[in-house]
Amino acid sequence: MTPESKSYLAAALEAAGQGHLMGTWSDLTDGERTNLLTALEGLDLEQVQRLRERLRAPNDHAAKSFEPPLTFPLERSAEQAAQAEHASALGKRLLRENRVGFVLVAGGQGSRLGVDGPKGMVGVGPVSGLSLFGWHAARLSAAQQRHGGNITWFVMTSSSNDGATRAFFEEQDFFGLGQQNVHFFTQEMLPALDQEGRIVRTASDALFLAPNGHGGTLAALRSEGMLDVAAGLGIEQFSYFQVDNPLVRPADPLFLGLHALADADMSSKVVTKNDPAEKVGVLGLADGKLGCIEYSDLPEDLRTEKDGGGQLRFRAGNIAVHMIRRDFVEKLTKDGLLDLPWHLAQKNLKGLDVQGNPGEVPGVKFETFVFDALGAAANSVTLEVRREGEFSPVKNAEGPDSPSTCRLALTESFGHMLQAAGLDLPERDQDGTLPLEVDPRVAEDESEFCAANESAGGLEVLKGEHGWLYR
Ligand code: UTP
């Protein structure tokens, strides 16, 4: 680097409030200087400026009016039941005709769970120890078995876990889905800032970068060429789901069919929130715009308000399961126009302070959320589903939403399947869980399990070290 270009770079950083990044230049080795220059080349200073403005922007955009969304309910009228039947038939046809691509987002850092490596590698199969990635793959194979067609799986990673994720898929032989059917793509990373808007470093030659949130999926689908891949395969809809919830049913014909029948741009599944104090976001209209209303943004009186049926009026708990039209993503991301709001996560970041001292720097990570795109959808379906059957995420190492609550939710759902088929349940473990697992390829709900049990071949049951495995 010539002295001129170095002073040009230093001046540009100084002007952007990032002068500290070159502050230790004279102490760096040649190798460290090369690393730092590479990191700085990847930096978009205009974007950093926008992040700084967002950091300083007051949080005074509180909405004035809130309405619950129109929901397709679990308790259905005769008319809705007929509509559901029609929608399921359509959904099955769309699956068979390969018009759906499956988008798994797995770019997050799983910091609350705190495991080494991608969260998708965590074992959740109560008996088999099958990983989250393996569990989702089994659900996709199940869809292929049931509806025909070919599975196309788009897996989003971030630079923090891309290599390890790809290596795991290879080691597992792409879970039998065929390497050609799995398309990895990576999301963008954003620099984390300290409270004064200065980029935090993890070392004197490396910036603290974090994935830009699951909202980054939409831009990454375009920038990584996935929209073209999907268009080339005739895929019209994306089924969006997150890596941490093994109960999710990405190939649900009812959801897909309702979404397609309504000609919706983006649709959502919700679970009923029974406890007003449960800190989940609810889907609803804020100032007339559909989106996810954060727990803290919903006024206390509305949080507890009941409707005529005695249920919470704002009960549509967001589980981040969506159906999204491909051409909606194309429209949103055209010419780099997508402009989802940035959400700030205040964290103590392991890194260097501006003087270069290592420690915990009070800082901010910036993320966009995929459900913020709902506001741009011309039509949207909100489908209510059973929490016990479809939602139990692994977020924390222990306590609520941890591997043990997820194991309990999975095993209870398998227990219901056995009971529906009139089979005896095994004795519960000491911690109260049923030592049971039903492979999704056998059944994903009670009626499928009963049908499999009554089929000519019957069910294959294996007794393993950790319990009974139906497969
Ligand atoms: P979470 O918001 O729970 O984040 O992600 P996380 O990274 O898994 O965990 P914490 O917050 O660090 O503890 C929900 C889903 O969105 C994906 C995650 O991989 C998970 O499937 N996600 C999140 C991304 O793909 N990219 C992101 O930038 C953030």
Side-chain angles (χ1 to χ4, degrees):
M1 184 182 219
T2 63
E4 292 75 34
S5 49
K6 191 207 141 208
S7 58
Y8 179 78
L9 178 60
L13 288 170
E14 193 64 49
Q18 309 300 333
H20 65 292
L21 297 179
M22 296 279 279
T24 52
W25 181 262
S26 52
D27 303 330
L28 300 185
T29 64
D30 283 350
E32 287 169 334
R33 288 179 179 184
T34 308
N35 293 343
L36 181 59
L37 288 176
T38 310
L40 294 177
E41 266 163 31
L43 205 56
D44 174 350
L45 284 180
E46 282 176 24
Q47 186 187 53
V48 173
Q49 188 51 32
R50 290 197 298 278
L51 296 177
R52 283 161 64 89
E53 282 160 19
R54 174 66 187 87
L55 183 65
R56 296 197 189 104
N59 239 349
D60 60 358
H61 303 300
K64 293 188 178 53
S65 75
F66 297 94
E67 283 298 320
L70 189 65
T71 301
F72 196 83
L74 266 171
E75 298 290 323
R76 293 175 192 143
S77 65
E79 194 189 332
Q80 285 168 330
Q83 207 181 339
E85 204 171 310
H86 177 51
S88 291
L90 172 63
K92 285 179 190 165
R93 179 160 69 74
L94 295 176
L95 288 166
R96 190 172 63 246
E97 293 175 354
N98 302 326
R99 309 248 219 118
V100 186
F102 299 91
V103 177
L104 173 72
V105 300
Q109 292 175 310
S111 39
R112 283 168 288 172
L113 186 61
V115 289
D116 273 344
K119 208 192 244 189
M121 286 167 59
V122 169
V124 286
V127 178
S128 66
L130 189 64
S131 64
L132 277 162
F133 283 135
W135 200 270
H136 296 307
R139 291 208 187 262
L140 297 180
S141 311
Q144 193 164 24
Q145 271 173 27
R146 271 169 219 148
H147 310 298
N150 189 45
I151 295 296
T152 305
W153 197 6
F154 300 96
V155 180
M156 187 173 80
T157 62
S158 61
S159 56
S160 61
N161 60 22
D162 183 63
T165 304
R166 287 174 192 252
F168 187 63
F169 271 66
E170 266 173 43
E171 189 190 300
Q172 302 292 318
D173 196 19
F174 295 84
F175 307 97
L177 289 168
Q179 180 168 5
Q180 70 285 5
N181 298 316
V182 182
H183 302 267
F184 294 100
F185 66 111
T186 48
Q187 66 181 119
E188 204 194 324
M189 305 289 278
L190 288 176
L193 305 183
D194 71 11
Q195 299 295 343
E196 275 71 48
R198 294 168 302 205
I199 296 173
V200 178
R201 291 165 294 166
T202 51
S204 48
D205 60 350
L207 310 183
F208 194 119
L209 299 175
N212 64 346
H214 42 63
T217 314
L218 303 172
L221 280 169
R222 176 180 281 275
S223 63
E224 297 280 283
M226 297 301 118
L227 291 179
D228 295 334
V229 171
L233 293 168
I235 289 170
E236 292 163 0
Q237 306 285 357
F238 290 122
S239 168
Y240 167 100
F241 59 114
Q242 305 194 328
V243 76
D244 50 22
N245 175 24
L247 269 74
V248 70
R249 301 181 58 179
D252 177 355
L254 172 63
F255 185 37
L256 173 58
L258 286 173
H259 165 80
L261 277 178
D263 212 8
D265 284 330
M266 178 165 176
S267 297
S268 316
K269 280 190 175 183
V270 295
V271 297
T272 300
K273 182 180 155 176
N274 293 317
D275 176 1
E278 190 194 353
K279 289 196 168 105
V280 296
V282 289
L283 288 199
L285 296 112
D287 289 342
K289 197 171 167 188
L290 184 64
C292 179
I293 306 167
E294 295 299 332
Y295 174 83
S296 51
D297 290 345
L298 192 65
E300 167 76 28
D301 55 332
L302 297 184
R303 244 183 255 157
T304 49
E305 187 183 345
K306 301 271 173 76
D307 64 13
Q311 283 188 295
L312 287 177
R313 204 167 148 243
F314 291 90
R315 61 176 178 276
N318 179 20
I319 58 171
V321 175
H322 302 286
M323 209 51 84
I324 313 175
R325 274 169 75 117
R326 191 195 78 229
D327 57 8
F328 179 60
V329 183
E330 275 162 4
K331 193 172 93 187
L332 282 179
T333 57
K334 194 159 178 266
D335 304 326
L337 279 181
L338 180 68
D339 189 18
L340 297 177
W342 275 313
H343 298 261
L344 274 53
Q346 307 280 347
K347 304 254 163 153
N348 279 333
L349 307 171
K350 236 189 222 159
L352 307 185
D353 66 13
V354 268
Q355 278 82 37
N357 304 312
E360 299 235 311
V361 182
V364 180
K365 288 193 200 174
F366 295 84
E367 292 195 333
T368 59
F369 295 162
V370 73
F371 27 80
D372 281 332
L374 280 167
N379 291 319
S380 179
V381 172
T382 305
L383 173 65
E384 186 191 0
V385 296
R386 281 191 311 133
R387 182 190 296 246
E388 318 75 75
E390 304 210 19
F391 185 58
S392 183
V394 178
K395 300 275 186 200
N396 307 309
E398 42 196 44
D401 295 343
S402 63
S404 59
T405 56
C406 181
R407 178 183 148 89
L408 187 66
L410 276 168
T411 50
E412 285 305 304
S413 77
F414 303 143
H416 289 139
M417 292 182 196
L418 263 71
Q419 278 174 323
L423 301 179
D424 292 335
L425 295 182
E427 209 172 297
R428 286 180 184 269
D429 285 343
Q430 275 181 345
D431 64 0
T433 52
L434 287 163
L436 251 189
E437 180 171 330
V438 178
D439 188 308
R441 284 162 288 208
V442 169
E444 288 188 298
D445 61 26
E446 286 133 43
S447 65
E448 285 177 1
F449 188 86
C450 292
N453 188 40
E454 282 157 23
S455 67
L459 288 166
E460 188 189 346
V461 195
L462 294 178
K463 172 88 176 78
E465 194 192 335
H466 301 291
W468 301 92
L469 176 61
Y470 285 77
R471 54 169 216 186

